[in-house]
Amino acid sequence: MNPATALATVLIDELVRCGVTDVVLAPGSRSAPLALAAHADSRVRLHVRVDERSASFVALGLAKRSERPVALVCTSGTAAANFHPAVIEASESGVPLLVLTADRPPELRGTGANQTIDQIKLYGSAVRWFAEVGVPEDRPGQVAYWRSLVCRACQRAAGPPDPGPVHLNVAFREPLIPDGDASWCESLDGDASGSWFRARVAPPSAALHIPPTRRGVLVVGDGAANVRRYVAAAGMAGWPVLSEPNGGGRYGDHAVSAYHFLLGDQEFADAHRPDVVVTLGRPGLSRPLLSWLRRAEEHIVVAPDLTRWPDPTRSATQVAQAVEIPIAAGGDAWLRSWRHADHVAREAIDAVLDSSGLTEPRLARDLAEVLPNGSLLFCGSSMPIRDLDQAMRPRRGLRLMANRGASGIDGLVSTAVGAALAHNGPAYALIGDLTLLHDQNGLILGPREPRPDLCLVVVNNDGGGIFSLLPQAALEDPFERVFGTPHGVDLGYLAAASGLPYTVVQETEELSKALKGDGLRLVEARTDRARNAAVHVAMREAVRAAMRD
């Protein structure tokens, strides 16, 4: 057996032993040993994508939804560089990726050899760990080295306490395909216990105990862990829960869904300054919420890893791996005040949306309501997730996800496809037109590839709608070209080129019917950017008026 085949066989086998079930591959020559080994192993679900960036975001979606490491493979050269955006998103959002980049052996590096770049620590600080695997050799001891390296990589990617991407750079000399000889100088098998070794992680330190108080608030952002436990504790303590849609805590009687508008009302924000705020995950959708957090006297951030904690407002007074929220004696006037204000604000918001026709906030609200229990809703990182944050009512039975680590719009179609492939149930995505166009290659699936049950709902306002809500909108002359960026693309032709079923929604009543079906499909909802900006202003003003009344 040639060394390249031996190394690739062992790497894939040890990945499986460590619990990896999915491998995403972007084809190439130097990665041939890994591609053939993954294809030959029936325990692996292989996903092949023609574009490295799309492949990397498919892997990100698979790992994000399954919460397990996913292997990502490419050839040498700029193929590996195209993984970088997804690696950054995985790092910022704590998603376990195992990036295996094939490389030329040392004697071909720095010589001008074809498809050769410097891949050593290519992703810099965006990975939790990097290892140069080295060129395989036919000598005893190699198998133990390869297996222990893979096992360590899997453990470091999965955490705890700090999951994220790991990069293994794998150098192969030719020949790159099996030579028909199965002999090797030692057994290629792992040990009888399963994987080569099993790392043991020490339990977290004791939880931080908070003094009993009724005037507490639980804030839940993206990437929060143990959400149900903390929401239940907040409920027992009489605390309101302010959860972003993708935080996973917007359900139950304590959920305050209109917090964006309530905290944007200075009078309400001043009157509802808590004794303590406990934050899970990374809040970042609502500027009024972030401004309110800056004024908190006691702000406790819960972070599994005490070397990396989210604190965008730099207002944290304590950071803990776990917190105990005690039951506090006394009346429930605090929670009653939040709930009453939320009810008043919600009625005002719904009245505006119900009379707005097919607008982006209404589409977001109605979509979140009509999806069946057990559904996955993947949200675009720009306006769609913000529309959901401002318009979505509390509900159970819906899993919401978004790429909010670096909050880019790149690779979102592919991420949604990957998440749908890992989800046990119907999946939907709410994204913008520029997001779709940015990742058109995510729609390309070969005839033998696993296909997701995913409905892509695309809001088409012919450009970048979020900029109409920002100060740039006042710059009338350059605005449309350099911020609005109209494209004029007919999405029906885009769907046809990819062989996807396609539906246009023109009225809100058509949404439920348009969502029906299975497989990968596209629903387009056409909206107007100026009208959308006016609806956001109307919601804000309606809530302020209702609060005064």
Side-chain angles (χ1 to χ4, degrees), residues 88-176:
I88 290 173
E89 175 62 33
S91 177
E92 294 298 320
S93 55
V95 176
L97 277 187
L98 293 164
V99 183
L100 280 67
T101 57
D103 202 354
R104 302 300 173 106
E107 64 269 18
L108 293 180
R109 300 177 188 175
T111 64
N114 184 43
Q115 246 178 294
T116 306
I117 66 171
D118 184 0
Q119 296 177 201
I120 304 300
K121 297 189 176 181
L122 178 64
Y123 308 115
S125 61
V127 294
R128 300 293 187 266
W129 185 56
F130 166 81
E132 167 80 314
V133 176
V135 179
E137 299 176 4
D138 188 0
R139 60 182 176 83
Q142 289 277 277
V143 173
Y145 163 59
W146 298 334
R147 288 192 181 275
S148 64
L149 193 70
V150 171
C151 198
R152 184 184 297 273
C154 288
Q155 176 65 45
R156 189 63 190 89
D162 184 29
V166 165
H167 178 202
L168 298 181
N169 196 53
V170 191
F172 292 116
R173 287 195 180 101
E174 296 182 354
L176 301 174

Side-chain angles (χ1 to χ4, degrees), residues 473-499:
L475 307 173
E476 294 184 8
D477 182 38
F479 175 80
E480 192 66 4
R481 183 181 182 191
V482 300
F483 295 108
T485 57
H487 51 79
V489 174
D490 188 324
L491 301 188
Y493 287 112
L494 181 63
S498 305

